[in-house]
Amino acid sequence: MDAQELYDRMKKVQEAKGYYFNKDKERTFELLEALLVNKARCGYMGCPCRLLADDRDADRDIICPCVYSVPDIEEFGSCYCNLYVSSDWNEGKIAHEYVPERRPPDKMPF
């Protein structure tokens, strides 16, 4: 699978839920490529913006879309890595604020 195929598949699923890819296609495709790298390396599509433990159980909360993406999008209009956003975020109706890390420190592999 390549990034375009992943984009097409994920777009249908996520847009039905009200989540959209960042309209910055270059950024979006960089993140999708990183997801594919993580899948090849670890066997699952862990968040491209976080350090993976290379242990599916330990990383379950950050398999894309991560469990933190919904509250991030609700509060900030974007997930942590800006892959998934709200329509208001994409349309510039809300500020593009920094999204703080929600993942608890005890879940991080360092």
Side-chain angles (χ1 to χ4, degrees):
M1 175 181 323
D2 66 9
Q4 183 64 55
E5 185 178 351
L6 182 60
Y7 178 89
D8 294 340
R9 286 183 181 185
M10 293 175 77
K11 183 176 190 233
K12 289 177 189 174
V13 172
Q14 296 308 321
E15 284 187 0
K17 298 176 184 176
Y19 306 117
Y20 303 88
F21 281 125
N22 186 331
K23 70 178 183 178
D24 179 343
K25 292 279 178 133
E26 185 176 340
R27 173 73 175 151
T28 296
F29 277 82
E30 286 173 359
L31 293 167
L32 292 173
E33 290 286 351
L35 284 172
L36 292 171
V37 167
N38 285 346
K39 183 170 177 64
R41 186 176 60 101
C42 301
Y44 53 91
M45 290 192 298
C47 180
C49 297
R50 293 181 169 105
L51 184 61
L52 302 179
D54 197 11
D55 176 331
R56 187 180 193 92
D57 288 332
D59 290 337
R60 188 163 305 282
D61 62 322
I62 58 170
I63 294 175
C64 189
C66 74
V67 300
Y68 311 105
S69 64
V70 171
D72 285 348
I73 294 167
E74 287 175 0
E75 186 173 348
F76 298 100
S78 170
C79 70
Y80 182 67
C81 62
N82 303 133
L83 178 61
Y84 293 111
V85 301
S86 68
S87 60
D88 285 347
W89 193 94
N90 257 347
E91 294 168 13
K93 294 180 180 176
I94 59 174
H96 293 186
E97 297 180 43
Y98 171 76
V99 179
E101 175 64 88
R102 288 183 193 265
R103 192 174 198 216
D106 64 321
K107 289 194 170 239
M108 296 183 192
F110 47 89

